[in-house]
């Protein structure tokens, strides 16, 4: 129609109700359809029921095992009569620090109770990840081992066993810190930052 606005009959979907609503009036690309005159009471019950689809939730839910995403903060290994308790350095120390944090006290107090009647010398060995200078990492691991040793000695008192502390730096990793493409693996580095406490559990 020349010289005027053509009236269009537009079929518009209402997704929430699964209906097709016919709107009559001028429609442009910039003006959305006007639903102000749409009365929900005019929609039949059967139309609403037909717009509802059943779904099976199990098809859309994936089971997740949290253990696959969590790093163990403390592990224990027994070989012969020797027990080795490995504690993540991240729960004992702040980043790049050798001073025990507040949360370390409770954890080390629990271990100290187990050391009261052990025979022989208790070995405390610190380990770092491979980031940074080897000499720096060696000293950091030694200082952390000494901090753990002192905390155990303070808890045990003069009647406790002899405790020796040493550091290995990054020389004895338990996990590969990079993947096959050379990309950094943060979870592996976290495993390598650790303190091992070994004692004769017999």
């Amino acid at each position: 129609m020349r010289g005027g606005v053509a009236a269009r009959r537009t079929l518009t979907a209402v997704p929430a109700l699964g209906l097709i609503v016919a709107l009559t009036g001028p429609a442009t690309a910039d003006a959305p359809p006007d639903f102000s005159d749409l009365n929900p009471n005019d929609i039949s019950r059967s139309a609403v029921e037909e717009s509802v689809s059943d779904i099976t939730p199990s098809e859309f839910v994936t089971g997740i095992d949290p253990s696959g995403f969590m790093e163990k903060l403390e592990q224990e290994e027994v070989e012969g009569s020797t027990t080795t308790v490995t504690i993540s350095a991240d729960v004992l120390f702040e980043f790049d620090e050798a001073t025990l944090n507040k949360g370390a006290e409770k954890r080390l107090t629990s271990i100290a109770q187990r050391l009261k009647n052990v025979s022989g010398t208790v070995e405390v060995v610190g380990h770092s990840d491979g980031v940074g200078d080897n000499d720096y990492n060696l000293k950091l691991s030694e200082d952390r081992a000494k901090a753990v040793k002192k905390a155990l000695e303070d808890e045990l008192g003069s009647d406790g066993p002899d405790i020796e502390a040493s550091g290995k730096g990054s020389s004895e990793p338990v996990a590969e810190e990079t993947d096959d493409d050379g990309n950094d693996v943060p979870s592996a580095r976290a495993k390598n930052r650790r303190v091992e406490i070994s004692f004769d559990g017999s």
Side-chain angles (χ1 to χ4, degrees), residues 40-187:
N41 294 325
D42 295 337
I43 302 171
S44 68
R45 181 180 181 85
S46 61
V48 174
E49 291 176 347
E50 290 175 1
S51 71
V52 177
S53 300
D54 292 332
I55 64 171
T56 304
S58 60
E59 297 178 2
F60 303 93
V61 178
T62 302
I64 298 177
D65 181 5
S67 63
F69 301 89
M70 299 173 61
E71 297 296 335
K72 292 183 178 180
L73 302 180
E74 183 175 318
Q75 300 182 66
E76 184 171 317
E77 182 178 336
V78 178
E79 186 174 343
S81 62
T82 302
T83 298
T84 299
V85 177
T86 300
I87 308 174
S88 170
D90 293 351
V91 303
L92 298 176
F93 305 94
E94 301 301 329
F95 176 74
D96 205 30
E97 296 289 339
T99 301
L100 291 167
N101 60 35
K102 295 180 180 179
E105 182 178 349
K106 183 177 180 180
R107 192 173 297 273
L108 293 178
T109 296
S110 175
I111 294 176
Q113 298 302 313
R114 301 178 60 185
L115 301 179
K116 286 185 174 181
N117 299 313
V118 304
S119 59
T121 301
V122 176
E123 301 282 348
V124 180
V125 182
H127 299 268
S128 74
D129 61 27
V131 177
D133 181 75
N134 289 335
D135 291 338
Y136 180 85
N137 287 338
L138 179 61
K139 185 176 188 310
L140 178 64
S141 65
E142 289 176 344
D143 290 344
R144 286 180 166 181
K146 290 176 181 178
V148 172
K149 171 189 174 182
K150 184 178 186 308
L152 293 174
E153 288 177 336
D154 289 348
E155 186 69 29
L156 290 166
S158 58
D159 295 332
D162 291 334
I163 302 176
E164 294 184 356
S166 62
K168 299 289 187 180
S170 59
S171 64
E172 296 182 2
V174 294
E176 292 291 335
E177 298 185 359
T178 56
D179 61 20
D180 293 338
D181 296 324
N183 299 313
D184 186 73
V185 183
S187 59

